[in-house]
Amino acid sequence: MDANGATTSSAAGGGSSSKSSAKKNSRKPKYSRFTQQELPACKPVLTPGLVIATFTIIGIVFIPLGLVSLSASEHVVEIVDRYDDSCVPPNYSNDKLKFIQAADTNKSCVRILPVPKLMKKPIYIYYQLDNYYQNHRRYVKSRSDKQLRSKSGEKDISDCTPEDKTKDGPIVPCGLVAWSLFNDTYGFSLDSKMIKVNKHNIAWKSDKDHKFGDDVYPKNFQTGGLIGGAKLNSSLPLSEQEDLMVWMRTAALPTFRKLYGKIEEDLPANKKIQVVIQNNYNTYSFGGKKKLVLSTTSWMGGKNDFLGIAYIIVGGLCLFLAVFFILLYVIKPRPLGDPSYLSWNKSPSGQPN
Amino acid sequence: MKRYVYINDDESSHELYCDNRISNRKYTVLNFLPKNLWEQFSRFMNQYFLLIACLQLWSLITPVNPASTWGPLIFIFAVSASKEAWDDYNRYLSDKKANEKLVWVVRQGIRKHIQAQDIHVGNIVWLRENDEVPCDLVLIGTSDPQGLCYVETSALDGETDLKTRLIPTACMGIDFELLHKIKGVIECPNPDKDIRRFDANLRLFPPFIDNDVCPLTIKNTILQSCYLRNTEWACGVAIYTGNETKLGMSRGIPEPKLTAMDAMIDKLTGAIFVFQIVVVMVLGIAGNVWKDTEARKQWYVLYPLEGPWYELLVIPLRFELLCSIMIPISIKVSLDLVKSLYAKFIDWDSEMIDYETGIPSHATNTAISEDLGQVEYIMTDKTGTLTENRMIFRRCCISGVFYGNESGDALKDTRLLSAVAGCSTDVVQFLTVMAICNTVIPIKSKTGAILYKAQSQDEDALVNAAAQLHMVYVNKNANTLEIRFNSSVIKYEVLETLEFTSDRKRMSVVVKDCQNGKIVLLSKGADEAILPYAYDGQQTRTFIEAVEQYAQLGLRTLCLAWRELTEDEYQEWSLMFKEASSTLIDREWRIAEVCTRLEHDFEVLGVTAIEDRLQDGVPETIETLRKAGINFWMLTGDKQNTAIQIALSCNFISPEPKGQLLLIDGKTEDEVCRSLERVLLTMRITSSEPKDVAFAVDGWALEIALKHYRKAFTELAILSRTAICCRVTPSQKAQLVELLKSCDYRTLAIGDGGNDVRMIQQADIGVGISGREGLQAARAADYSIGKFRFLKRLILVHGRYSYNRTAFLSQYSFYKSLVICFIQIFFSFISGVSGTSLFNSVSLMAYNVFYTSVPVLASVLDKDLSEGTVMQHPQILFYCQAGRLLNPSTFAGWFGRSLFHAIVVFVITIHAYAYEKSEMEELSMVALSGCIWLQAFVVALETNSFTIVQHLAIWGNLVAFYVINWIFSAIPASGMYTIMFRLCRQPSYWITMFLIVAAGMGPVLALKYFRYTYRPSKINTLQQAERMGGPILTLGNIEPQQRSIEKEVSPLSISQPKSRSPTPVYEPLLSDSPNSSRRSLGSRSSSSYSRNCKDN
């Protein structure tokens, strides 16, 4: 306000007409299509044709896509075997927790898995945990990426409580995630011939190269009072510990599968695979399930019907909407933009002109 | 209450009064940070954000990196703080410049060049021609022998004419040298901001003059920020200095205006806040229960058995932080940004430039553009706002003879010309009054032509007309003025000027004819102020007729009169006048009383009629805006008949068969009451049928009505769409605005003069016309425009677009925050209600600040309808007025949409990325990209017109999202290293995206299409019409109408019969009357009306 007044009065002080005209010119805004809000614009209208066509196209595209996804999913051969209950000897069936926590019980367990169809290599071996909250806040936070990456970050354990250090020094790898490493093991044989399980390259390459350092060796791991899960071979650097890497890619959902290894040979149909499971991991205390999964893969990944079904449903709904709108259009046509629908134009008495 | 200023006393007043240091600064270097922070944190939203940010510092509960809140918070604060600092620095610079300006001041009897800031009260300040006045001064000497000087006061009141100021009589003739030594005392009131009034006394100490008290008025002062013109030098005593000057006192930071939309957004924010608290409490309790029942069994989480005392609070607080994004931190910044752009669009609009003066429109207040689209009542001034305020002398009636009736221009009437040539006494007297009964200053330009500097446009017109009729006002030299009539020069000595006040409604001068020494009183004024005072026996009937006839033509009338005074009568009166002029208390009233003692027994000479032409496009503008459902009230100081005629000629009210005008008048309470009841009754009856009923009320009746019958008058105000209030004072104008505001109406006041300033400041939106009455109104206003007709564009185009855009922007801001927040809430149910954040800090921050803000900002260019369509169908403004685009139900729609989209994204993501794919970082990126895809399509679907900017913003943003995330994925140290590359290589990722888009947008599109086609709003219908190229309009075309007042005269039965009660005429009226459209659209039903009627 004030500055405004000053300029006005000073300009008026000049008083001459030339000055005031100069002022006028300078205050005149420059013309541009932007400043005048006149940029060329395309103004789409939701015409019946456009909308019906959109829905039809979505329907036509989505249903085949859904079928393709579904068939991809169908082609995946998957063997799922829940073993947490059955691998507890009958005499412990009332106190499974005691069985799993006791050090002296025999935890090995044999399972026979029939192969329903020919499984082409590579066959992925997963272990699946249910009701296991790897995404719990206390859990996800309890790790130190710096410590995993390089030796220099060894002391960086502030986030790792309560599994941060023992009396001998910082734990490497520290934190609840590493501490609770899954430790069931599986041995496969077909017709009493061992099947080789390839446990290399089961972790992400980027994890091996960058997230887990090759100069970081496990230290003080699982030596404290409480033993969580698996122990690590302290002579191998973390970049070689692929099970750990897989485990430390925390899952976002309480039901998840983690890659255990790969079988690099075809499994013929109707054969039975014998699996020797070392059932070490405690899921009994919280009622979690453990499953062993053998699965082939497709371009979509593992067996998952959801996308296929969802595509078919969405596509179907779109087609239905398209048909509905066509019917509506035929039964109850309504011209677009009829000015007679404007209530102020409806009056018969007309308008003043 | 009073201050005594001792002239030229170097010591006494230094402690008492401040020096002349001007300070407009809000802050100092030291207090800037605390004060600014305090101001910013006095707003609820900021307190909320600060609390959240502080909570985030507690690492136990923070779900994300504190930087994700601190960053934007500090940014927002820094932006508004640096804006404040910059403004304050500029104020400091301009203060400094003013303070350090060198001025000549008398110190110890010697003139010295000192800085303006060192002036003290009582100092004598010398000014040269074209100097700016550094503080408020009482004149004591000028270079002019008569003690006159000229000042330009445009910085003070915007009036560009020169004003004369004169030295007090006591100081007359003091020698130039002696002025340095003058001593005395000035008794003056404490500083106030009234720039039209200064009631003080001056007493000079011996030896200068005897102890006589000399009255001082505003005429004897020159105020700060004026300029000295046409005067070689002047000197004065500083009376008010620094921030205590009249200018300094009237300066003030106006209350920030809050738009209806802001209030609604605040309300919705409050609702969301409550919702958030509820969610937090529910989740907090659930979290604690889950923790105690389930999490303790989960050995891998390793919950300690004994927690600290605050353990129960941890989970609720975590959820509070997780949900804090429900209230988007970006909304304030985005709104500020787009609002200033709206204001810029107004400034830039080339269709709102007044090409006559080259003045573009200007939005002073950048924050209230949306309110323009919600205006329901427009209070307009008449003169200078509806009319051009360019007065042209058209007709006159001199002693019963009408001139100018045939040609419409008295100056071309041969009869008058011949009467002038024949020196007819009546005519000469008439012309003399026209020429000299005024306060006009003639200035001879170098070419010899005479320019008149007049404060009043009427006087200007009269003097110019007189000059064309060979009665030329040639020169004014102190108290002597010269007129030239037919080449003979006549000199008059001005003895007294009885100034015009709005109460007296007339002004007079007492002059002495220098030739024959006769003293004459010349008067001009409104008919009711002159005609009743005619001498007994004069026939005033023809004059009354003339006044009525002229008023019916919409002309402004003035009656001219004169009376010869005897020397004794004058002397006797002159003493009384002097005494009255020097009173300190009620001076104005006393003077008025004394004046009436002289102003009687007039010989009425005649009536002048001055035309004030309507501005271009006024009738069309009013018609269009009335169709838009805006009610018009005319508040004018002019007389009733003129006001009604102007109202008729500019479509304000309809002539008799269509419309009806009811009068409220009366001089006593009872009369007003009866009249009001009657009008109210008629209104109630006719309000059920479509009829243009208006009422007219004059200032006196209004005063009584507002005082005693406020409730009834309020009801009337609500019922009536149109009103004419004549003879109202500035404060009454403001009162009326206040009345309508108290009924919950959005009011817009438009005016051009100083008398409109209060109403402009009072109204929700003040619009000033930068017209001929100066810039005062324009400066006080939120918007200044050059012509009344721009109002149409301002409201229908700028106001409407601003409203629509803000409605979308604000709701969208909540929508996008809610989407992400709902996803977090859903995720918490599958993460053990522990308060894990699905998204990482970087993504969350970027989502709020970048990914979702940029596309929506482009919506400032969105136009739902083209300008032309809106102009042709102004009724569409109803949607803005009634707040149809932003209200709890539309907000509920957006809320539902956000819930739906969150469900779609979440369900599809967790199912598509189940089992072996359920890696945390991947899943979070899938969900985030799902949101971003949906955002892009939501904005695209809600955009009505795509310009290149919108395409860039919407689709470019989508691309930018990938580019940014690829960059993050390429940094090994970041948590999401390689994630985006991995995802983009998976076919299932893209398939999931398409599924999310189709599932999320399909129903939205279907619903929108259904509503668009089968339940279209009027906006939709017009959109379809305009875009399908169909017949946009067959009806309601508004053609520019060329009307002249004369042709429009329609007999008005309402103007005369003041006693007779107007009989209601029931005629079927235009059914397009916005009254009916209003009702059919169902906005203000009678229930809301009765709500409004409650005691205000």
Side-chain angles (χ1 to χ4, degrees):
Chain A
M1 284 298 277
D2 209 24
N4 224 348
T7 51
T8 321
S9 55
S10 68
S16 68
S17 61
S18 66
K19 219 174 190 179
S20 67
S21 72
K23 188 178 78 181
K24 272 177 217 166
N25 290 338
S26 69
R27 284 179 72 183
K28 204 173 279 179
K30 283 204 189 81
Y31 182 89
S32 86
R33 302 196 105 182
F34 174 75
T35 58
Q36 301 306 312
Q37 308 187 56
E38 278 171 7
L39 287 174
C42 105
K43 300 175 175 179
V45 190
L46 289 180
T47 55
L50 185 74
V51 173
I52 292 168
T54 309
F55 279 116
T56 317
I57 289 170
I58 293 176
I60 289 174
V61 170
F62 268 44
I63 290 177
L65 255 176
L67 290 172
V68 169
S69 319
L70 210 54
S71 83
S73 173
E74 285 301 314
H75 277 103
V76 173
V77 186
E78 193 182 68
I79 306 170
V80 182
D81 180 56
R82 180 176 170 189
Y83 64 88
D84 54 296
D85 273 346
S86 1
C87 278
V88 178
N91 52 334
Y92 281 104
S93 61
N94 291 328
D95 198 356
K96 294 169 186 156
L97 197 57
K98 196 176 166 196
F99 162 78
I100 204 78
Q101 278 171 341
D104 52 347
T105 45
N106 176 16
K107 302 226 172 54
S108 59
C109 156
V110 179
R111 306 282 299 164
I112 308 293
L113 309 178
V115 181
K117 267 195 239 168
L118 168 71
M119 292 175 87
K120 292 238 162 141
K121 67 178 180 183
I123 301 159
Y124 293 91
I125 307 165
Y126 301 102
Y127 52 89
Q128 176 177 339
L129 294 175
D130 278 15
N131 198 23
Y132 191 102
Y133 289 88
Q134 261 205 320
N135 54 13
H136 194 282
R137 198 191 127 89
R138 246 180 101 77
Y139 190 83
V140 251
K141 294 256 155 185
S142 185
R143 61 189 289 161
S144 165
D145 282 337
K146 271 190 194 151
Q147 192 198 42
L148 299 175
R149 195 174 301 129
S150 67
K151 199 173 169 63
S152 54
E154 190 181 285
K155 300 255 160 38
D156 190 357
I157 50 169
S158 54
D159 291 332
C160 288
T161 46
E163 283 300 317
D164 49 352
K165 57 176 182 276
T166 61
K167 55 186 185 302
D168 300 327
I171 299 172
V172 182
C174 73
L176 289 173
V177 189
W179 175 72
S180 59
L181 178 61
F182 188 74
N183 58 358
D184 285 6
T185 56
Y186 314 105
F188 297 87
S189 54
L190 181 67
D191 299 338
S192 65
K193 198 179 82 198
M194 283 291 286
I195 303 171
K196 194 169 175 289
V197 175
N198 179 5
K199 286 186 70 90
H200 284 290
N201 296 325
I202 54 171
W204 294 7
K205 194 171 176 301
S206 62
D207 282 359
K208 268 190 346 197
D209 295 347
H210 292 102
K211 288 207 117 174
F212 292 78
D214 51 10
D215 58 345
V216 189
Y217 291 87
K219 224 193 253 178
N220 305 324
F221 190 67
Q222 305 285 31
T223 57
L226 273 169
I227 307 295
K231 300 193 174 169
L232 292 173
N233 181 352
S234 55
S235 61
L236 283 178
L238 289 189
S239 60
E240 311 274 311
Q241 312 262 11
E242 296 203 30
D243 280 324
L244 180 73
M245 289 179 217
V246 170
W247 182 253
M248 290 199 75
R249 279 267 155 208
T250 50
L253 307 176
T255 299
F256 58 89
R257 287 173 184 178
K258 297 239 173 242
L259 192 56
Y260 178 80
K262 284 178 278 187
I263 295 175
E264 309 268 8
E265 57 187 274
D266 293 351
L267 295 179
N270 303 321
K271 291 281 178 133
K272 292 199 164 57
I273 310 170
Q274 192 190 40
V275 190
V276 180
I277 298 170
Q278 286 297 322
N279 181 16
N280 297 322
Y281 203 70
N282 175 14
T283 56
Y284 301 100
S285 65
F286 52 90
K289 296 172 198 159
K290 287 194 281 192
K291 287 173 186 167
L292 174 64
V293 180
L294 294 175
S295 169
T296 58
T297 186
S298 72
W299 60 272
M300 287 276 294
K303 194 177 184 67
N304 189 346
D305 293 345
F306 172 79
L307 278 176
I309 293 170
Y311 258 76
I312 291 168
I313 290 174
V314 169
L317 280 176
C318 286
L319 277 185
F320 168 76
L321 276 173
V323 171
F324 173 75
F325 283 137
I326 290 170
L327 287 179
L328 208 60
Y329 182 70
V330 172
I331 295 167
K332 206 184 150 197
R334 178 160 172 154
L336 282 177
D338 187 344
S340 65
Y341 285 107
L342 300 172
S343 65
W344 55 83
N345 280 352
K346 267 183 186 163
S347 60
S349 58
Q351 291 253 329
N353 259 318
Chain B
M1 281 308 290
K2 274 182 191 166
R3 64 162 61 178
Y4 293 91
V5 178
Y6 292 91
I7 301 170
N8 222 349
D9 188 340
D10 285 333
E11 284 80 38
S12 71
S13 58
H14 283 200
E15 295 80 36
L16 271 171
Y17 309 119
C18 65
D19 60 12
N20 196 34
R21 189 187 301 273
I22 302 163
S23 173
N24 295 309
R25 290 159 67 194
K26 228 165 123 186
Y27 308 105
T28 64
V29 176
L30 281 180
N31 76 7
F32 175 75
L33 216 58
K35 195 171 171 188
N36 185 266
L37 283 180
W38 176 255
E39 273 182 10
Q40 297 208 38
F41 281 120
S42 50
R43 291 182 214 124
F44 170 74
M45 267 236 207
N46 288 343
Q47 286 168 11
Y48 171 80
F49 289 132
L50 184 72
L51 180 76
I52 296 299
C54 288
L55 279 177
Q56 285 197 333
L57 292 178
W58 189 9
S59 66
L60 185 64
I61 58 168
T62 177
V64 291
N65 194 327
S68 66
T69 305
W70 279 103
L73 191 71
I74 289 172
F75 176 74
I76 288 169
F77 274 68
V79 166
S80 55
S82 39
K83 194 170 152 244
E84 285 275 309
W86 176 247
D87 288 350
D88 212 45
Y89 180 67
N90 280 331
R91 282 193 287 263
Y92 165 72
L93 283 188
S94 72
D95 286 352
K96 193 171 140 119
K97 208 173 138 201
N99 284 335
E100 293 182 352
K101 205 172 192 177
L102 292 177
V103 286
W104 289 103
V105 171
V106 176
R107 282 279 159 85
Q108 274 94 26
I110 307 153
R111 239 191 309 163
K112 282 183 180 164
H113 222 182
I114 62 164
Q115 291 189 341
Q117 56 188 343
D118 296 325
I119 299 173
H120 287 277
V121 169
N123 284 163
I124 294 175
V125 181
W126 292 76
L127 301 166
R128 290 156 193 274
E129 187 166 358
N130 296 337
D131 271 356
E132 189 181 348
V133 183
C135 59
D136 290 356
L137 304 173
V138 165
L139 271 180
I140 52 170
T142 75
S143 56
D144 185 89
Q146 305 295 329
L148 276 180
C149 73
Y150 297 93
V151 288
E152 186 186 285
T153 59
S154 62
L156 203 59
D157 56 13
E159 293 169 16
T160 48
D161 58 311
L162 293 186
K163 298 206 172 62
T164 45
R165 292 290 187 253
L166 76 173
I167 62 175
T169 45
C171 302
M172 278 294 186
I174 295 179
D175 192 64
F176 176 80
E177 290 303 319
L178 281 175
L179 280 174
H180 288 111
K181 303 189 180 89
I182 199 164
K183 294 267 179 187
V185 61
I186 296 171
E187 183 189 350
C188 58
N190 274 342
D192 57 30
K193 55 182 173 183
D194 191 347
I195 57 167
R196 312 228 173 266
R197 214 169 138 162
F198 177 70
D199 299 338
N201 282 324
L202 164 75
R203 204 170 46 149
L204 291 182
F205 292 149
F208 286 94
I209 258 173
D210 49 351
N211 268 355
D212 222 11
V213 172
C214 168
L216 299 177
T217 68
I218 198 76
K219 282 283 217 187
N220 305 115
T221 61
I222 42 181
L223 301 181
Q224 192 183 33
S225 83
C226 298
Y227 284 84
L228 190 67
R229 302 275 188 224
N230 294 357
T231 313
E232 200 182 314
W233 58 265
C235 74
V237 182
I239 39 168
Y240 303 128
T241 48
N243 283 356
E244 290 181 344
T245 59
K246 293 207 177 248
L247 180 72
M249 298 292 283
S250 58
R251 201 160 28 207
I253 297 146
E255 280 283 300
K257 291 182 179 176
L258 193 70
T259 64
M261 221 162 184
D262 289 333
M264 179 57 82
I265 293 172
D266 282 356
K267 222 187 267 173
L268 296 174
T269 311
I272 288 292
F273 182 68
V274 171
F275 174 72
Q276 178 191 336
I277 296 292
V278 170
V279 166
V280 166
M281 285 192 356
V282 169
L283 286 177
I285 291 168
N288 276 323
V289 169
W290 198 89
K291 183 188 81 185
D292 286 334
T293 54
E294 294 292 320
R296 296 215 187 276
K297 293 187 212 153
Q298 275 153 351
W299 56 270
Y300 52 88
V301 179
L302 217 63
Y303 252 115
L305 286 175
E306 287 293 313
W309 59 269
Y310 51 80
E311 209 197 344
L312 275 181
L313 279 178
V314 168
I315 288 180
L317 282 178
R318 269 185 204 156
F319 279 111
E320 171 62 43
L321 290 185
L322 213 54
C323 294
S324 66
I325 46 167
M326 264 190 200
I327 298 174
I329 200 165
S330 58
I331 190 170
K332 193 180 154 316
V333 190
S334 335
L335 280 182
D336 282 355
L337 209 71
V338 294
K339 279 180 176 195
S340 43
L341 201 58
Y342 301 153
K344 275 284 159 232
F345 280 138
I346 292 173
D347 292 357
W348 286 333
D349 196 334
S350 65
E351 284 181 47
M352 298 213 301
I353 300 174
D354 184 0
Y355 282 106
E356 272 173 47
T357 54
I359 299 173
S361 302
H362 178 60
T364 314
N365 190 341
T366 57
I368 60 167
S369 298
E370 299 92 350
D371 248 11
L372 281 173
Q374 297 198 282
V375 168
E376 290 161 303
Y377 274 85
I378 292 181
M379 325 290 268
T380 168
D381 178 40
K382 185 179 76 67
T383 314
T385 306
L386 299 176
T387 62
E388 282 188 336
N389 202 11
R390 185 187 311 238
M391 309 293 176
I392 300 165
F393 179 78
R394 284 296 184 206
R395 298 173 188 216
C396 60
C397 165
I398 305 170
S399 41
V401 186
F402 288 77
Y403 295 105
N405 271 15
E406 290 80 32
S407 57
D409 188 354
L411 298 180
K412 290 184 184 130
D413 195 318
T414 43
R415 287 181 299 141
L416 182 59
L417 291 177
S418 58
V420 172
C423 290
S424 149
T425 334
D426 290 340
V427 175
V428 171
Q429 279 175 346
F430 187 82
L431 290 181
T432 312
V433 179
M434 264 171 82
I436 62 175
C437 177
N438 51 42
T439 54
V440 175
I441 304 163
I443 291 175
K444 266 208 181 106
S445 66
K446 283 170 192 137
T447 54
I450 296 167
L451 291 175
Y452 296 110
K453 288 270 181 188
Q455 289 177 45
S456 138
Q457 298 290 329
D458 293 273
E459 290 185 347
D460 194 46
L462 288 180
V463 175
N464 277 312
Q468 287 192 40
L469 293 171
H470 308 294
M471 180 70 82
V472 189
Y473 179 17
V474 186
N475 192 13
K476 181 169 189 176
N477 199 347
N479 281 342
T480 350
L481 45 83
E482 282 173 32
I483 49 175
R484 198 173 61 221
F485 180 62
N486 287 347
S487 75
S488 61
V489 173
I490 311 164
K491 280 192 181 172
Y492 285 101
E493 187 190 345
V494 179
L495 299 174
E496 295 294 347
T497 305
L498 286 61
E499 285 191 16
F500 177 86
T501 64
S502 44
D503 293 324
R504 293 183 342 108
K505 292 172 190 157
R506 62 176 170 250
M507 70 91 57
S508 310
V509 288
V510 182
V511 293
K512 187 176 186 178
D513 192 331
C514 292
Q515 273 79 23
N516 49 22
K518 268 197 252 172
I519 298 174
V520 201
L521 171 77
L522 308 177
S523 288
K524 72 171 197 297
D527 49 318
E528 72 263 34
I530 298 281
L531 294 183
Y533 302 97
Y535 68 88
D536 293 340
Q538 186 178 16
Q539 287 296 320
T540 55
R541 231 170 49 89
T542 47
F543 296 122
I544 294 172
E545 275 170 18
V547 168
E548 266 165 17
Q549 192 191 341
Y550 293 150
Q552 293 224 342
L553 296 172
L555 301 175
R556 297 160 70 93
T557 55
L558 282 173
C559 290
L560 307 188
W562 88 341
R563 176 160 79 95
E564 278 195 34
L565 302 178
T566 61
E567 184 75 29
D568 293 344
E569 189 185 4
Y570 169 69
Q571 291 300 345
E572 188 188 334
W573 177 83
S574 173
L575 283 177
M576 286 192 295
F577 186 67
K578 278 216 175 69
E579 189 203 357
S581 313
S582 59
T583 43
L584 282 182
I585 307 148
D586 286 337
R587 183 185 284 181
E588 201 175 301
W589 182 80
R590 289 278 304 276
I591 290 178
E593 200 199 44
V594 173
C595 287
T596 44
R597 296 197 191 179
L598 199 67
E599 294 166 329
H600 57 83
D601 288 338
F602 285 129
E603 183 189 347
V604 181
L605 296 171
V607 181
T608 60
I610 296 166
E611 185 191 66
D612 187 7
R613 285 217 330 243
L614 280 185
Q615 285 184 19
D616 282 347
V618 166
E620 297 85 62
T621 305
I622 289 180
E623 193 183 327
T624 311
L625 289 179
R626 277 166 59 96
K627 268 194 196 162
I630 297 175
N631 301 339
F632 269 93
W633 282 34
M634 184 199 275
L635 314 180
T636 174
D638 219 329
K639 72 169 106 17
Q640 195 159 341
N641 284 355
T642 317
I644 290 170
Q645 285 311 318
I646 292 285
L648 271 173
S649 64
C650 61
N651 280 342
F652 208 83
I653 49 175
S654 314
E656 187 61 17
K658 279 182 184 171
Q660 189 183 2
L661 187 71
L662 310 170
L663 291 179
I664 300 172
D665 48 17
K667 293 281 170 230
T668 65
E669 271 183 43
D670 283 346
E671 279 173 42
V672 172
C673 178
R674 252 178 282 131
S675 162
L676 188 64
E677 298 272 289
R678 207 174 53 220
V679 169
L680 204 51
L681 203 69
T682 326
M683 280 282 182
R684 284 198 195 115
I685 299 164
T686 47
S687 68
S688 54
E689 38 193 289
K691 185 165 168 66
D692 256 2
V693 188
F695 72 88
V697 63
D698 65 8
W700 183 256
L702 186 70
E703 183 81 46
I704 295 172
L706 283 178
K707 208 168 182 179
H708 301 282
Y709 309 103
R710 199 178 165 89
K711 201 176 156 190
F713 190 76
T714 310
E715 192 190 342
L716 183 68
I718 294 164
L719 280 171
S720 172
R721 302 199 59 234
T722 313
I724 300 170
C725 305
C726 355
R727 298 278 186 216
V728 289
T729 61
S731 73
Q732 279 178 326
K733 288 185 179 183
Q735 274 178 348
L736 285 171
V737 170
E738 177 65 23
L739 180 90
L740 285 173
K741 264 174 86 181
S742 69
C743 300
D744 250 4
Y745 287 116
R746 292 267 122 191
T747 52
L748 180 148
I750 178 166
D752 73 320
N755 58 347
D756 305 313
V757 168
R758 286 185 63 181
M759 140 175 117
I760 283 172
Q761 282 170 337
Q762 184 74 44
D764 293 310
I765 307 160
V767 179
I769 293 198
S770 30
R772 304 176 134 245
E773 277 187 41
L775 292 170
Q776 218 180 343
R779 240 178 245 162
D782 302 309
Y783 297 93
S784 66
I785 54 179
K787 287 274 184 288
F788 183 80
R789 65 168 187 274
F790 298 147
L791 193 62
K792 182 165 78 171
R793 196 173 160 79
L794 190 66
I795 290 175
L796 289 178
V797 173
H798 291 288
R800 194 172 165 281
Y801 283 154
S802 304
Y803 174 83
N804 291 353
R805 291 162 182 174
T806 301
F808 171 65
L809 185 97
S810 52
Q811 297 184 103
Y812 174 84
S813 294
F814 278 103
Y815 155 79
K816 54 118 182 186
S817 311
L818 282 169
V819 168
I820 211 93
C821 197
F822 278 129
I823 293 177
Q824 297 271 48
I825 291 170
F826 296 148
F827 181 70
S828 75
F829 286 112
I830 60 160
S831 64
V833 209
S834 58
T836 319
S837 170
L838 176 60
F839 305 102
N840 61 47
S841 319
V842 178
S843 303
L844 271 185
M845 190 167 80
Y847 178 83
N848 257 327
V849 175
F850 189 75
Y851 304 143
T852 54
S853 300
V854 174
V856 78
L857 280 183
S859 73
V860 290
L861 292 175
D862 190 38
K863 291 169 144 185
D864 56 342
L865 294 170
S866 73
E867 290 165 15
T869 315
V870 178
M871 289 294 193
Q872 279 155 350
H873 295 275
Q875 292 92 334
I876 207 71
L877 186 72
F878 167 77
Y879 282 84
C880 302
Q881 278 174 339
R884 282 299 181 81
L885 301 180
L886 174 70
N887 56 40
S889 67
T890 59
F891 189 74
W894 280 99
F895 187 89
R897 185 184 289 192
S898 67
L899 189 62
F900 170 66
H901 279 171
I903 291 173
V904 165
V905 170
F906 185 71
V907 168
I908 291 180
T909 307
I910 65 166
H911 283 99
Y913 274 73
Y915 301 127
E916 75 276 6
K917 288 182 190 158
S918 77
E919 200 274 325
M920 190 86 170
E921 297 281 349
E922 272 190 9
L923 193 112
S924 105
M925 277 323 288
V926 173
L928 188 71
S929 13
C931 291
I932 302 286
W933 275 84
L934 279 180
Q935 307 301 319
F937 281 92
V938 165
V939 177
L941 191 66
E942 296 295 327
T943 301
N944 295 297
S945 63
F946 290 91
T947 65
I948 182 80
V949 179
Q950 267 129 328
H951 279 303
L952 269 180
I954 296 171
W955 311 119
N957 185 62
L958 197 58
V959 173
F961 167 76
Y962 282 99
V963 171
I964 290 172
N965 279 295
W966 284 332
I967 291 172
F968 273 113
S969 301
I971 303 170
S974 81
M976 44 189 284
Y977 179 52
T978 69
I979 297 289
M980 210 59 197
F981 297 119
R982 295 173 71 91
L983 284 176
C984 289
R985 275 199 298 267
Q986 294 171 3
S988 56
Y989 170 76
W990 298 106
I991 286 180
T992 311
M993 285 306 110
F994 296 137
L995 183 64
I996 287 175
V997 170
M1001 293 314 293
V1004 177
L1005 177 68
L1007 200 65
K1008 184 169 166 130
Y1009 165 74
F1010 184 80
R1011 297 230 315 246
Y1012 190 75
T1013 313
Y1014 296 98
R1015 301 275 180 276
S1017 70
K1018 309 290 175 291
I1019 298 178
N1020 297 148
T1021 310
L1022 286 178
Q1023 274 175 344
Q1024 292 156 4
E1026 125 188 348
R1027 289 163 197 194
M1028 306 294 284
I1032 296 182
L1033 76 153
T1034 42
L1035 307 162
N1037 199 352
I1038 299 158
E1039 287 139 15
Q1041 292 154 317
Q1042 289 302 327
R1043 296 175 182 227
S1044 75
I1045 296 168
E1046 275 88 344
K1047 284 177 209 149
E1048 272 303 311
V1049 191
S1050 43
L1052 247 206
S1053 60
I1054 30 84
S1055 50
Q1056 286 14 295
K1058 298 198 175 175
S1059 51
R1060 181 183 63 162
S1061 86
T1063 44
V1065 186
Y1066 303 116
E1067 281 273 331
L1069 242 205
L1070 351 159
S1071 36
D1072 83 311
S1073 138
N1075 229 339
S1076 58
S1077 73
R1078 243 170 196 241
R1079 202 157 292 124
S1080 68
L1081 290 161
S1083 95
R1084 274 215 171 68
S1085 58
S1086 51
S1087 68
S1088 74
Y1089 149 69
S1090 58
R1091 168 181 64 89
N1092 289 335
C1093 257
K1094 267 181 270 166
D1095 270 348
N1096 292 303

